[in-house]
Amino acid sequence: MPQLKLFVAPNTCARVATIALEEIGAPFETSLIRTAANQQNSPEFLKLNPKGKVPTLLVDGEPLTENVAILSWLAATFPDAHLMPDASDALDQTRQTADLAFFAGTVHPTVTRIAMPMKMIPDAAQSFEIVRPKGIEDMNKIMTMVEVRLDNGPWWYGDTWSIVDGYLYWVWGRITGVGYDGSAFPKIRRHFDLNNARPAVQRAMAREDANIETLKSENLYMAPR
Ligand SMILES: N[C@@H](CCC(=O)N[C@@H](CS)C(=O)NCC(=O)O)C(=O)O
């Protein structure tokens, strides 16, 4: 069993890897990165991940970065956790990678424009007036497609939960947490509720809540807005 340590920060996409690890059920440790103190760009952290991002997973002390890679490696290393459905051939498996890449490469950047618009242009006030509305417009197109995808069952792959559902769970929580109007997407809202009922998701969120309390006690919590 490899020794696993995940670097995380509350409300970030590191929630997806945390859910994956909780679903696996193997022992793992999390380490809180204080983004308000720019700890992700500290020399110590940059040695592990020169990109200065969470999630970063240490596997027996060696870093693995990027959600697509971390989630794919966890799925392959812990097959009993069924983080991804069994793939019948290389094409099938690559299509699953495409699903993770879609969330990492297309959906996540759209989340950032909605949830952190101030990262996109220097004027914070303008970012909320210009960047966020355009992000919402693009997210509406994405969510319209996702809503149709959920026609075949409550989960991305139909009847069976996968870590792609953990990704969608983070996206939905993050955007609705800053006021995204999800009323046109009842299947995705149900998907979110079904995820919330999963014990592994609850354990992941409890870890995150504990980290939020730590940050609050240090005056380093940046609440979503
Ligand atoms: N492509 C990376 C993106 C990771 C990423 O953007 N993480 C954000 C949190 S959601 C982060 O660490 N932000 C800190 C920063 O940019 O300073 C992945 O999918 O793992």
Side-chain angles (χ1 to χ4, degrees):
M1 181 78 63
Q3 222 188 12
L4 301 171
K5 179 174 179 174
L6 183 69
F7 290 88
V8 297
N11 302 315
T12 68
C13 59
R15 183 178 298 165
V16 190
T18 311
I19 290 171
L21 285 161
E22 287 290 359
E23 290 280 349
I24 289 165
F28 72 101
E29 191 191 329
T30 54
S31 180
L32 172 62
I33 292 296
R34 288 146 174 88
T35 51
N38 203 25
Q39 214 177 358
Q40 69 276 28
N41 291 311
S42 65
E44 300 76 36
F45 188 71
L46 290 176
K47 259 187 234 156
L48 300 174
N49 182 353
K51 293 170 274 191
K53 302 281 181 195
V54 293
T56 295
L57 180 66
L58 294 190
V59 182
D60 291 330
E62 293 299 320
L64 180 64
T65 66
E66 299 295 326
N67 265 302
V68 176
I70 293 170
L71 301 173
S72 301
W73 180 79
L74 288 173
T77 305
F78 300 96
D80 291 349
H82 299 289
L83 292 179
M84 286 303 237
D86 291 337
S88 52
D89 57 22
L91 183 57
D92 204 17
Q93 192 168 20
T94 306
R95 287 200 175 106
Q96 294 178 3
T97 305
D99 291 334
L100 291 175
F102 167 65
F103 274 90
T106 299
V107 188
H108 183 167
T110 312
V111 171
T112 308
R113 285 156 61 205
I114 296 171
M116 310 275 280
M118 59 294 225
K119 281 191 145 195
M120 302 296 156
I121 54 173
D123 185 317
Q126 273 203 347
S127 77
F128 284 96
E129 284 163 26
I130 297 168
V131 178
R132 177 175 277 177
K134 184 68 177 80
I136 289 173
E137 210 179 296
D138 289 349
M139 187 60 84
N140 288 340
K141 283 187 217 144
I142 291 171
M143 288 303 158
T144 300
M145 189 273 284
V146 172
E147 181 79 3
V148 172
R149 171 92 197 196
L150 298 184
D151 275 350
N152 297 328
W155 305 118
W156 185 264
Y157 293 115
D159 290 337
T160 315
W161 184 92
S162 74
I163 196 57
V164 179
D165 296 295
Y167 229 140
L168 177 56
Y169 173 77
W170 168 69
V171 168
W172 192 251
R174 192 70 180 93
I175 59 177
T176 56
V178 294
Y180 179 83
D181 177 8
S183 55
F185 307 112
K187 294 195 182 85
I188 308 177
R189 286 162 64 195
R190 177 157 177 266
H191 177 274
F192 186 72
D193 293 343
L194 288 172
N195 267 295
N196 270 326
R198 292 179 76 81
V201 171
Q202 291 167 6
R203 288 194 299 274
M205 294 308 290
R207 281 182 189 260
E208 214 171 297
D209 287 345
N211 280 335
I212 289 174
E213 288 313 310
T214 301
L215 292 177
K216 280 182 178 167
S217 74
E218 297 171 355
N219 245 339
L220 286 175
Y221 183 58
M222 293 186 296
R225 65 189 176 111

